[in-house]
Amino acid sequence: MPELPEVETVKRTLELKLTGLTIDSVDIAMPKIIREPSPQEFGAQIKGRKITGLGRRGKYLLLYLSSDKVLIIHLRMTGRLIYAAPGEPLPRHTHVIFSLSNGNQLRFADMRQFGRIQLAPKQALNQVKGLKDLGPEPLEKDFTRNLLRRELKRKRVRLKTLLLDQTFIAGLGNIYADEALHRARLHPMRIANSLSPREIANLYHSIIEVLREGIQNRGTSFRDYVDGDGRKGNYQKLLRVYNREGLPCPHCGTTIARMKVSGRSSYFCPACQRKQ
DNA sequence: CGATTCCCCTGATAGC
DNA sequence: TGCTATCAGGGGAATC
């Protein structure tokens, strides 16, 4: 599942290749992937625009285009964005193909068809649904310990639920939320406003740590994720709790458990992460 | 308004 | 062996 570190890795693998190229044409095999504008309009507007740079906000990948347009891409669960030569075999579930001025292609494939692509004017970025309500970027300066403390105090929801809430913090998904909670030794069911200052500090540093490690290891390829070159990440080898039910906790050896928290699987160590 | 539930979708896996 | 049921989950919409 592409979360912040995976989207950041895709961004880094693609920006060297895409920056400076022009999009000659777009082939849309599955119209519903294009959220806005209409597929015809989308194709017309994007044609001939130059890719001036790449960006990321939360789990959204941003392709900045000439004439102040931005291509907004969300991979959701199984989306893939891959740079390839036209001669390379077209994988199943390839829904959108951007033909580039150097003869190569940028391909969007998505088995479960949850991913979305949208085109918006640059100045309207902060009005785009999903983007406009995003919380702070956890690896940027605006995410401070004080901010986390202030926001936690206001909330009576479970920690796991809160970490997955993109309006609270942008970019965490199920994998890195579980890993951050384990590292901070906090139970996923703990209520947000019950944390001590020490626990808040632990959570703060843990969130930043797991995301940085994820990026350093080129993301987690638990199932479908690959980067812009189609290569898998390495962080799945270093996960301590996620998808490790029944296996020993790397810290204490206790068997890792799994429970549902607001509809999502949560993996945790019952010894390291006590409920209290 | 904030919190919760449902739904989209296909492939892997469990169960019979 | 082969079929069906269940699960996985990000985020938007609907509902409480």
Side-chain angles (χ1 to χ4, degrees), chain A residues 2 12 16 18 32 42 45-46 80 87 138 152-153 204 218:
Chain A
R12 291 182 185 185
L16 295 166
L18 297 183
K32 73 172 180 185
F42 180 87
Q45 286 192 24
I46 211 164
R80 292 174 165 189
L152 285 171
K153 285 269 180 274
Y204 175 77
R218 308 176 54 84

Side-chain angles (χ1 to χ4, degrees), chain A residues 50-88:
Chain A
K50 188 170 163 182
I51 301 167
T52 57
L54 271 69
R56 181 191 57 74
R57 178 77 173 97
K59 301 175 194 171
Y60 291 83
L61 183 69
L62 307 172
L63 270 68
Y64 294 101
L65 307 179
S66 55
S67 312
D68 283 338
K69 292 275 186 185
V70 188
L71 196 54
I72 305 158
I73 300 170
H74 200 301
L75 302 172
R76 293 280 184 98
M77 301 288 300
T78 55
R80 292 174 165 189
L81 201 60
I82 295 175
Y83 178 83
E88 293 180 56

Side-chain angles (χ1 to χ4, degrees), chain A residues 113-128:
Chain A
Q113 306 168 20
F114 285 175
R116 290 293 179 266
I117 300 176
Q118 178 170 359
L119 188 65
K122 197 174 173 184
Q123 62 272 20
L125 255 193
N126 49 12
Q127 296 160 36
V128 170

